[in-house]
Amino acid sequence: MNHSISLTVNGARREFVLDDPRVTLLDLLRERLHLTGTKMGCDRGQCGACTILVDGKRINSCLALAISHDGADILTIEGVARGDQLHPVQAAFIAHDGFQCGFCTPGQIMSAIGMMSEAQAGNDPERIRECMSGNLCRCGAYAGIVDAVLDAQASMDESNQRCSVRGAPHEAI
Amino acid sequence: MKQFDYVRPATVAEAVAAAAQPGAAYLAAGTNLLDLMKGGVSRPDRLVDVTHLDGLDQIECLADGGVRIGALVSNADLAHDAHFAKSYPAVAEALLSGASAQLRNAATIGGNLLQRTRCAYFYDAASRCNKREAGSGCDARDGENRTHAVLGWSENCIATHPSDFCVPLVALDAVVEIEGRNGRREIALDELHRLPGNTPERESALEPGDLIVAVRLPAAARGFAAHARYLKVRDRTSYAFAVVSAAAALQIENGKIVEARLALGGVAAKPWRARAAEDVLRNVAPTADAFQETAWRALTDAKPSGDNAFKIELARRIVVRALSLAAAGTPARIAALPASPFASTSGAIHARA
């Protein structure tokens, strides 16, 4: 039996016909849309490489059935830069060597972006480590990842402050 | 993963009718179920997706002073609800000590109650497991069993219930609202999960089609807010299941405990309420001696099910420490490492960048 669903992916509304309900959001992104930035690591919700934002919240896309997320708004690593201008978290990962092989990086960055909007960690490195514990890095780039998140958090706080001084609306992440 | 039919009911009544059929299972976030299906451990013929049902995602303050948590509220939304966390701090701390931020964003509180054991032999379809296949045997009994049960286990099953959330809930007399084929009913959370006995494949009091629609905490549970903690020992500091955990909640007046609540996690097939131990603390001062006696009472019936005798002494120490932390008072903000024994000295012990 075919099921029709619609999703907004990186700002564009897309319609899909699923001939199999077993397709996860991860499968759909990678195999239907060829958005291969989102990685399949463990495929069991243990590594965080598949982290995406669904309706603004970070989740493991490997454990989410696409059919159940009919109507959802999805943001992947491909959707965070503005043209050639990197997202502040992307730029900070480069500046602080927040990766080695790079496989976990899209998940780390999406998780960090989600974490900042949750606003639980602030600039406390211990809280950042705890709030990022769902993203494993086998190269062990954790020190650089925490520095990158701290830096990105600081630069985004600063730019938000500038915005509020000018009375401009806070730009959504 | 085995092929299945997907059903998206429009109402709770439709959901119950669809899920009452043999081979059907409810789908909420799927953070545990999808994992089990990928491993061939769960093989439902039909998934009944309840995530689009209206009205199950609210946190309601009740007129009687209690709170009603809809079954589809996410773990993260509940833990970060400021009013809820202030009223039931041990519950919020337990939620934040479980899984990862991504999983907490997706996972629902109804699903949390019904998550399956993480016994490795249950997860391995090539192993014998009485829970997965009734009567097939238990490979955990003579296997790697250092994290298995020390209370309430049987020769047929030594698995533990993995939930953190359920531990303070059972301590605080949570009630589960269930919609079933014969209408709405409610049971104490303490009666939801079953000990294995001779039927480890029957894990809960739920009947086919039964849908958990809400969990309630009574008004009295708020009376412990000033002295309520959850403490959880794990093999790693974050993103790990409990080896042993405890929820401790006290009401202290004029230097004496007037009421105490205590429950243990990671020790049995259900969240383990230690009622006899609570009695030790009635009308006594919150002293180390009283907490020691409480801990001994809580583990009186414990026995190793394998290479896990250490969990009994560990549980005693966790009980003493959780009670001591509760007596010291609920902190204004949950520690950076929620429920961790390393929380108070995190800078010294935890790796720093």
Side-chain angles (χ1 to χ4, degrees), chain B residues 80-99:
Chain B
H80 293 145
D81 183 281
H83 182 70
F84 180 85
K86 196 169 174 58
S87 303
Y88 313 98
V91 181
E93 190 169 24
L95 284 166
L96 292 177
S97 77

Side-chain angles (χ1 to χ4, degrees), chain B residues 190-204:
Chain B
D190 203 15
E191 292 164 18
L192 178 68
H193 302 98
R194 293 163 51 108
L195 292 176
N198 294 321
T199 53
E201 73 281 7
R202 284 214 59 196
E203 296 178 349
S204 80

Side-chain angles (χ1 to χ4, degrees), chain A residues 10 75-82:
Chain A
N10 298 331
L75 184 66
T76 73
I77 190 68
E78 289 89 348
V80 300
R82 294 182 193 288

Side-chain angles (χ1 to χ4, degrees), chain B residues 6-339:
Chain B
Y6 174 84
V7 183
R8 190 188 294 166
T11 64
V12 168
E14 277 181 37
V16 169
Q21 304 298 317
Y26 283 118
L27 171 72
T31 53
N32 186 205
L33 182 60
L34 264 287
D35 187 20
L36 291 163
M37 289 168 66
K38 287 182 179 189
V41 180
S42 290
R43 301 172 56 80
D45 297 315
R46 165 190 278 191
L47 283 191
V48 180
D49 183 353
V50 295
T51 60
H52 294 257
L53 294 176
D54 287 331
L56 299 182
D57 61 351
Q58 303 297 310
I59 305 167
E60 300 167 64
C61 294
L62 302 174
D64 67 2
V67 65
R68 182 175 186 273
I69 310 155
L72 291 179
V73 173
S74 75
N75 287 14
D77 283 348
L78 185 59
H80 293 145
D81 183 281
H83 182 70
F84 180 85
K86 196 169 174 58
S87 303
Y88 313 98
V91 181
E93 190 169 24
L95 284 166
L96 292 177
S97 77
S100 67
Q102 289 96 317
L103 289 167
R104 292 192 294 270
N105 278 342
T108 65
I109 69 107
N112 184 294
L113 268 52
L114 296 180
Q115 68 179 303
R116 313 294 296 277
T117 182
R118 275 12 183 237
C119 173
Y121 301 94
F122 172 73
Y123 262 72
D124 173 24
S127 294
R128 296 181 304 157
C129 173
N130 288 320
K131 195 181 271 303
R132 182 164 29 77
E133 192 181 337
S136 64
C138 171
D139 278 339
R141 231 17 218 106
D142 298 307
E144 291 289 331
N145 48 25
R146 72 177 269 282
T147 62
H148 284 70
V150 293
L151 284 162
W153 56 273
S154 74
E155 289 299 326
N156 298 298
C157 183
I158 60 173
T160 60
H161 192 261
S163 170
D164 295 301
F165 178 51
C166 285
V167 181
L169 280 187
V170 80
L172 296 172
D173 286 336
V175 170
V176 183
E177 295 182 16
I178 300 160
E179 190 79 29
R181 284 173 296 178
N182 299 315
R184 183 74 61 106
R185 71 184 196 281
E186 54 185 58
I187 60 173
L189 175 62
D190 203 15
E191 292 164 18
L192 178 68
H193 302 98
R194 293 163 51 108
L195 292 176
N198 294 321
T199 53
E201 73 281 7
R202 284 214 59 196
E203 296 178 349
S204 80
L206 298 183
E207 300 292 335
D210 278 353
L211 178 66
I212 293 176
V213 292
V215 174
R216 279 202 328 267
L217 280 166
R222 294 176 65 176
F224 297 91
H227 297 279
R229 293 302 301 270
Y230 184 66
L231 184 65
K232 173 183 178 185
V233 170
R234 298 153 258 195
D235 283 338
R236 62 181 181 193
T237 303
S238 182
Y239 198 10
F241 290 100
V243 176
V244 173
S245 69
L250 302 170
Q251 287 183 41
I252 302 175
E253 288 174 14
N254 303 318
K256 283 198 169 175
I257 298 166
V258 293
E259 194 169 355
R261 300 288 179 83
L262 180 66
L264 290 159
V267 295
K270 60 185 290 184
W272 191 268
R273 176 85 178 262
R275 290 177 199 277
E278 292 171 0
D279 293 340
V280 174
L281 293 174
R282 196 154 293 131
N283 296 317
V284 301
T287 63
D289 284 349
F291 295 157
Q292 287 282 359
E293 190 185 339
T294 307
W296 278 93
R297 185 73 65 88
L299 278 301
T300 301
D301 297 329
K303 58 178 199 278
S305 59
D307 295 329
N308 58 2
F310 78 97
K311 286 182 67 165
I312 299 171
E313 176 58 19
L314 178 61
R316 288 191 192 106
R317 295 182 187 199
I318 290 300
V319 165
V320 171
R321 191 151 164 187
L323 286 166
S324 304
L325 288 168
T330 306
R333 187 183 181 195
I334 292 175
L337 305 175

Side-chain angles (χ1 to χ4, degrees), chain A residues 26 29-30 35-53 58-63 75-78 101-111 132-138 142, chain B residues 100 102-103 239:
Chain A
L26 176 61
L29 289 169
R30 291 182 59 85
L35 293 173
T36 53
T38 306
K39 300 302 184 217
M40 181 185 284
C42 67
D43 202 28
R44 304 294 280 268
Q46 297 178 6
C47 75
C50 68
T51 302
I52 60 171
L53 301 194
R58 51 177 169 159
I59 68 162
N60 302 109
S61 61
C62 71
L63 291 182
L75 184 66
T76 73
I77 190 68
E78 289 89 348
C101 82
F103 187 85
C104 73
T105 312
Q108 298 278 1
I109 289 172
M110 295 314 294
S111 190
M132 292 289 292
S133 71
N135 292 83
L136 305 187
C137 171
R138 286 193 66 183
Y142 294 110
Chain B
S100 67
Q102 289 96 317
L103 289 167
Y239 198 10

